[in-house]
Amino acid sequence: GKMAQDMTEKELLKMELDQLKKEVKNERQMVSKTGKEIKEYIESMAGEAPLLKGVPEDKNPFKEKGGCTIS
């Protein structure tokens, strides 16, 4: 399709309206409920997260293979 800067105001408004028509169908839930669920999910997965538990040296693909010595 066209880039947004090449569109007329009418085309932009139609695009926005189409987007809102899609979004209005989304089921909504209270943040107080979903926030708690998200927190529980994150905590349950934390044991598997390499950024939290680290990566064993032998499994790290980014580990320096060897050094260089300047003499």
Side-chain angles (χ1 to χ4, degrees):
K2 290 196 237 178
M3 298 296 286
Q5 62 265 25
D6 300 330
M7 296 171 79
T8 64
E9 189 175 359
K10 184 180 173 192
E11 288 173 313
L12 286 168
L13 289 170
K14 184 185 180 317
M15 207 165 91
E16 188 176 349
L17 183 63
D18 290 343
Q19 182 63 32
L20 290 170
K21 282 179 181 174
K22 288 177 193 164
E23 289 180 23
V24 80
K25 294 179 189 137
N26 289 344
E27 184 184 335
R28 301 186 184 270
Q29 294 184 342
M30 301 293 284
V31 172
S32 54
K33 178 180 183 288
T34 56
K36 184 171 171 279
E37 289 173 0
I38 291 168
K39 180 176 179 274
E40 287 168 0
Y41 173 77
I42 291 170
E43 287 172 350
S44 74
M45 302 304 275
E48 302 305 309
L51 293 176
L52 294 178
K53 71 171 193 176
V55 179
E57 284 293 313
D58 58 333
K59 299 264 195 302
N60 185 350
F62 301 103
K63 183 176 183 274
E64 291 286 332
K65 296 291 183 268
C68 69
T69 312
I70 298 171
S71 53

